[in-house]
């Protein structure tokens, strides 16, 4: 039997770095599931459940969902059979305790943590212009407008106010996971500025593809 090489990896970066867009492309290359904590939370909100209502309260202002809620949800998802041979985490871990909890839960070490770097000045423009269609495909009203007739919606937390909070949270809560992975010698830095195709090429290159 031929075994595909496993790839357990994390995409890290500020909001609007292109993690979602790039993850969707990379999972095709690596044949691994795309595990986005934000997508999982948005699905829960959409379901109208009690948990979804609580998540919505944290998310709509750009705040983080508490670690004690986030960690068990994501670890449960990673324990499912489709993640046995690898996964691409997008949006998790977002705090140092989440990174430590993931570390403890993993039977095998992570293969790579890729940091997509985009300066703060570019983020607000990228995010406030972001829209997605029903299937979740992401567009930008200026840089990648949806084709005529395609209906798109804006995320509740893609407003200027929420983006400002999300960026501040990124710097105070998420950036500290970078030295954690640097010390494990698995961190790779990729420039996230430029055309999405160019960024995809840089990411693949950094991952040896
Ligand atoms: P994202 O789609 O990754 O930008 O996530 C959207 C929102 O979901 C974030 O602004 C947070 O409110 C929440 N969220 C997603 N992932 C996490 C996480 N790992 N820890 C805490 N909150 C999260």
């Amino acid at each position: 039997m031929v075994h595909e090489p496993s790839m357990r990896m994390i995409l890290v970066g500020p909001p609007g770095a292109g993690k979602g867009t790039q993850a969707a492309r990379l999972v095709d290359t690596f044949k691994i599931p795309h595990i986005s904590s934000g997508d999982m939370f948005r699905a829960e909100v959409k379901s109208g459940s009690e948990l979804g209502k609580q998540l919505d309260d944290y998310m709509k202002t750009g705040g983080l969902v508490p670690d004690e809620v986030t960690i068990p949800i994501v670890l449960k998802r990673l324990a499912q059979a489709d993640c046995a041979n690898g996964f691409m985490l997008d949006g998790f871990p977002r705090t140092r305790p989440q990174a430590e909890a993931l570390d403890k839960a993993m039977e095998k070490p992570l293969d790579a943590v890729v940091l997509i770097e985009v300066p703060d000045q570019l983020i607000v423009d990228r995010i406030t212009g972001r829209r997605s269609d029903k299937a979740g495909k992401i567009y930008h009203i200026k840089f990648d407008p949806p084709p005529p007739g395609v209906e798109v919606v804006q995320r509740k937390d893609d407003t200027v106010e929420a983006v400002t909070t999300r960026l501040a949270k990124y710097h105070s809560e998420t950036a500290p996971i970078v030295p954690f992975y640097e010390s494990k010698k698995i961190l790779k830095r990729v420039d996230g500025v430029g055309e999405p195709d160019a960024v995809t090429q840089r990411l693949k290159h950094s991952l040896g593809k």
Side-chain angles (χ1 to χ4, degrees):
M1 201 162 95
V2 180
H3 285 283
E4 289 283 326
S6 76
M7 177 52 97
R8 295 175 170 73
M9 63 163 296
I10 305 177
L11 277 185
V12 185
K19 298 187 296 295
T21 302
Q22 296 298 338
R25 295 168 172 216
L26 292 174
V27 292
D28 279 348
T29 304
F30 289 99
K31 311 274 182 272
I32 48 179
H34 173 196
I35 314 290
S36 156
S37 44
D39 284 352
M40 287 167 71
F41 292 168
R42 279 184 287 278
E44 192 67 42
V45 171
K46 217 171 161 193
S47 80
S49 70
E50 205 40 55
L51 172 63
K53 285 181 193 137
Q54 289 170 21
L55 294 172
D56 194 36
D57 281 341
Y58 294 114
M59 291 165 71
K60 66 184 172 206
T61 56
L64 290 184
V65 176
D67 287 340
E68 56 274 25
V69 178
T70 301
I71 292 170
I73 294 177
V74 178
L75 292 187
K76 192 171 161 201
R77 176 66 188 88
L78 290 177
Q80 288 177 8
D82 62 333
C83 296
N85 206 30
F87 49 79
M88 175 162 310
L89 272 171
D90 154 17
F92 181 97
R94 237 185 179 91
T95 64
R96 183 84 184 219
Q98 291 180 14
E100 285 165 5
L102 176 66
D103 214 45
K104 267 203 197 132
M106 288 284 91
E107 279 169 20
K108 292 183 205 151
L110 291 165
D111 296 296
V113 177
V114 185
L115 172 63
I116 307 182
E117 297 183 298
V118 176
D120 282 6
Q121 312 85 277
L122 294 185
I123 302 279
V124 177
D125 247 16
R126 276 196 182 190
I127 294 201
T128 52
R130 179 160 71 179
R131 301 290 186 275
S132 58
D133 68 13
K134 274 198 190 115
K137 182 166 169 25
I138 302 166
Y139 298 94
H140 188 284
I141 47 173
K142 250 198 270 171
F143 310 137
D144 181 20
V150 171
E151 259 184 64
V152 291
V153 290
Q154 182 176 31
R155 273 170 52 172
K156 271 190 223 164
D157 58 349
D158 277 354
T159 59
V160 176
E161 297 75 25
V163 171
T164 309
T165 307
R166 286 163 66 199
L167 256 182
K169 289 274 174 206
Y170 175 76
H171 289 295
S172 64
E173 306 290 325
T174 308
I177 71 174
V178 170
F180 177 78
Y181 290 121
E182 231 160 12
S183 72
K184 294 182 182 295
K185 312 241 182 302
I186 51 172
L187 187 86
K188 297 167 194 295
R189 292 171 186 270
V190 168
D191 179 7
V193 179
E195 290 293 322
D197 285 351
V199 178
T200 308
Q201 286 314 313
R202 284 176 216 146
L203 284 164
K204 283 188 185 169
H205 182 74
S206 81
L207 293 163
K209 283 272 175 178

